[in-house]
Amino acid sequence: MAVLIDTPVWPWRGRRWSHLVSDTDYAELHAFVAAHLGIPRRAFQGDHYDVPEELYDVAVGAGAEPVGARELLRRLMAAGLRVKKRRDSAAG
């Protein structure tokens, strides 16, 4: 049972972001975010939350396990919680 966070290296809108996931279930993830990060539930991205770099240390301090991006994805997939992005059928 763990909430995992990768390093904030993902650029978007002038900031760097981390991915926050659970390797157990989404309820654990939502509860962690509500209790410690204050990120709105509407920000949930299907299988993860994007966490701005300024909240990385807060998440780790609250108990999120820092892991590399590959480890995060491996554990998310092993838990059966990975949601693949849908491809736009018009895109080919």
Side-chain angles (χ1 to χ4, degrees), residues 37-59:
L37 301 180
I39 297 171
R41 175 76 181 265
R42 69 181 177 276
F44 183 62
Q45 299 290 312
D47 59 10
H48 72 279
Y49 283 91
D50 293 328
V51 176
E53 63 187 328
E54 60 270 17
L55 289 179
Y56 177 84
D57 289 337
V58 174

Side-chain angles (χ1 to χ4, degrees), residues 75-86:
R75 290 175 60 183
L76 186 65
M77 291 174 69
L81 298 174
R82 176 71 169 135
V83 175
K84 292 186 177 189
K85 291 183 180 179
R86 288 183 13 187

Side-chain angles (χ1 to χ4, degrees), residues 9-66:
V9 297
W10 309 101
W12 189 64
R13 294 193 175 187
R15 295 162 88 182
R16 297 213 180 268
W17 299 78
S18 295
H19 299 112
L20 186 77
V21 305
S22 170
D23 69 354
T24 305
D25 60 45
Y26 299 132
E28 176 188 38
L29 180 61
H30 297 312
F32 182 91
V33 169
H36 304 292
L37 301 180
I39 297 171
R41 175 76 181 265
R42 69 181 177 276
F44 183 62
Q45 299 290 312
D47 59 10
H48 72 279
Y49 283 91
D50 293 328
V51 176
E53 63 187 328
E54 60 270 17
L55 289 179
Y56 177 84
D57 289 337
V58 174
V60 172
E65 179 183 340

